[in-house]
Amino acid sequence: MKKTICIIHLLCISAVLFAQKHDNIWVLGYYGQSPHPDLGGIFLDFNQASLLIYDVDTGMDFNFTDASICDAQGKLLFYTNGIYIADATHEVMENGDSINNAGLTYQYTETGLPVPQGVLVLPAPGNDSLYYLFHGPIDFGPNGLNTHIPKLFYSKVNMNLNGGLGAVIEKDHLLIEDTLAIGKLTACKHANGRDWWLLVRKDERFSRNVYRLLLTPQGVLNMGKQDAGPDIIYPNGAVGNVVFSPDGTKYVSHEIRFNPRNAIDIYDFDRCTGELQHLEHFTMDDSIFLTGGASVSPDSRLLYIVTHVSIFQFDLLAADIEATRNVVAEYDGFIGYPYPSKFGIPQIGSNGKIYIASYATDTFMHVINTPNQPGLGSHVAQHS
């Protein structure tokens, strides 16, 4: 009998990108919607021993869709708001205008797309100059009311062109045409240590299926759908985010809706096959606002669920994960600009800290300083 041996390299998107510094500059900002001088272009630069934060006149408006990529040395290459791609000089990249040119995207040309995790950028396996952007337009749903993502595209950037500033050599290449969830794009390194798994969720109003795409040196392969469970359909749909643990063994979905307001699904992930095995489902009726998300500690043990006014910690290695629920922070009442500095979407940085945006336009973010530590040892610093 012929046997297939899968050699595991314990690297996922966060670990790999951090080691190669592809994730070392975050481009933020909110130009057109506020007169406040501190809400323009902002860089969070992780290339030094301490995080640097400084103003940059990018000229790009951001809504929720926001993705940037650096080279392996941490030098910014390009970034996007889901409408166009800007190069390192903050100009429109050659052929980088009008991505996601379908559906209702035209309504957001001045602000950027309102889709959390709406664009994902990955380096092409085995090629230091090619990068893939995975993205989708926004459109009305089948009922003509609720919005959804009707297609998944990829666009490809070659950084050897245009004097090293890069150019888009393929744009809006159709990968999937289906009723897809709003955003929720995330990836994990294949067990071979080279390729990338990209999981794409169906709209929760209709299906619990997940598409499995594999990015290889030969291009993007559609490896089919999986019914990932749980067998629960949400008639009003859900926003939220998804995240892999840094070691690639767990996949977490945090869905925010009206009733119940927060649904958490935790899966084992097989980095050889790209398949999910559902482990646990629970709900939390905590937040009245559609904000928040999930993140996992650098050591892959502690799950953080962020809601409008609370930050919860769970132990992913426990037999009953829900039973380990621990409140590590509650909103302290601070008012930023122009809204209260409550909790929004979390994202782990390459320095191992977890950064949490405020729930609306603000000049402050929150930080989980030592997320590997249980309980209050995680040291959540609000509006810091």
Side-chain angles (χ1 to χ4, degrees):
M1 178 182 294
K2 189 174 183 179
K3 294 183 178 180
T4 301
I5 299 175
C6 180
I7 300 175
I8 301 291
H9 300 266
L10 287 179
L11 300 171
C12 88
I13 182 169
S14 55
V16 172
L17 292 185
F18 294 170
Q20 298 183 353
K21 301 185 179 182
H22 287 298
D23 196 38
N24 267 27
I25 293 180
W26 298 0
V27 184
L28 310 175
Y30 200 13
Y31 271 85
Q33 304 298 312
S34 173
H36 195 289
D38 294 336
L39 293 174
I42 298 292
F43 275 18
L44 269 63
D45 188 336
F46 295 90
N47 281 304
Q48 308 302 321
S50 298
L51 174 66
L52 299 179
I53 304 173
Y54 47 89
D55 298 336
V56 178
D57 185 11
T58 66
M60 180 180 284
D61 285 314
F62 290 99
N63 197 322
F64 277 101
T65 302
D66 183 353
S68 57
I69 194 77
C70 299
D71 64 16
Q73 288 72 48
K75 178 183 177 182
L76 181 68
L77 297 178
F78 59 87
Y79 55 95
T80 181
N81 60 0
I83 298 295
Y84 73 95
I85 303 168
D87 63 27
T89 68
H90 315 302
E91 299 295 331
V92 179
M93 179 176 281
E94 183 177 316
N95 196 32
D97 61 311
S98 302
I99 64 171
N100 283 323
N101 191 19
L104 299 175
T105 298
Y106 69 92
Q107 294 188 3
Y108 302 97
T109 54
E110 300 300 320
T111 63
L113 284 184
V115 181
Q117 292 184 300
V119 177
L120 179 68
V121 186
L122 293 175
N127 192 315
D128 293 336
S129 62
L130 293 181
Y131 293 83
Y132 284 79
L133 292 83
F134 297 91
H135 53 89
I138 195 167
D139 205 351
F140 286 124
N143 58 8
L145 297 174
N146 301 105
T147 54
H148 75 297
I149 305 298
K151 300 176 181 179
L152 181 73
F153 298 130
Y154 78 70
S155 297
K156 190 188 300 185
V157 170
N158 187 335
M159 290 305 303
N160 286 335
L161 302 178
N162 196 22
L165 292 176
V168 177
I169 57 174
E170 291 185 56
K171 184 161 58 177
D172 287 2
H173 180 97
L174 182 63
L175 282 170
I176 300 172
E177 189 166 11
D178 204 342
T179 309
L180 303 175
I182 296 291
K184 302 178 183 175
L185 296 178
T186 192
C188 181
K189 205 76 166 185
H190 188 283
N192 64 18
R194 181 197 64 190
D195 302 336
W196 294 94
W197 287 111
L198 172 66
L199 301 188
V200 183
R201 300 180 72 89
K202 284 268 291 179
D203 191 308
E204 296 83 1
R205 288 167 289 186
F206 308 103
S207 171
R208 305 301 293 181
N209 285 346
V210 176
Y211 283 93
R212 299 175 301 123
L213 303 180
L214 188 62
L215 177 60
T216 74
Q218 289 72 45
V220 185
L221 307 177
N222 189 333
M223 307 301 288
K225 290 185 292 186
Q226 178 191 359
D227 183 353
D231 190 19
I232 303 171
I233 301 299
Y234 300 105
N236 295 318
V239 295
N241 80 322
V242 292
V243 63
F244 280 104
S245 60
D247 65 4
T249 63
K250 293 289 189 294
Y251 174 86
V252 179
S253 169
H254 176 213
E255 295 176 350
I256 312 169
R257 61 186 64 79
F258 291 103
N259 187 26
R261 294 193 176 111
N262 295 271
I264 314 302
D265 288 290
I266 301 169
Y267 306 80
D268 276 333
F269 182 66
D270 187 325
R271 294 174 53 239
C272 292
T273 66
E275 293 180 337
L276 296 166
Q277 179 181 355
H278 190 254
L279 291 179
E280 193 166 331
H281 169 85
F282 57 90
T283 61
M284 300 165 55
D285 194 12
D286 178 76
S287 176
I288 62 173
F289 289 90
L290 298 179
T291 65
S295 190
V296 180
S297 60
D299 66 1
S300 297
R301 176 159 190 166
L302 298 177
L303 167 66
Y304 291 88
I305 298 296
V306 178
T307 69
H308 185 56
V309 294
S310 302
I311 302 175
F312 300 92
Q313 185 189 79
F314 299 85
D315 187 348
L316 288 173
L317 299 185
D320 182 352
I321 297 171
E322 181 184 9
T324 67
R325 170 175 165 169
N326 190 7
V327 179
V328 295
E330 293 184 331
Y331 169 58
D332 63 8
F334 183 84
I335 305 246
Y337 176 89
Y339 303 107
S341 296
K342 297 183 180 180
F343 305 133
I345 299 172
Q347 176 72 29
I348 189 170
S350 59
N351 59 3
K353 299 182 180 184
I354 295 175
Y355 294 83
I356 304 171
S358 292
Y359 84 110
T361 305
D362 201 348
T363 56
F364 292 91
M365 298 178 73
H366 318 279
V367 184
I368 306 176
N369 281 294
T370 51
N372 286 341
Q373 299 302 313
L376 297 181
S378 59
H379 291 119
V380 177
Q382 298 190 44
H383 48 84
S384 62

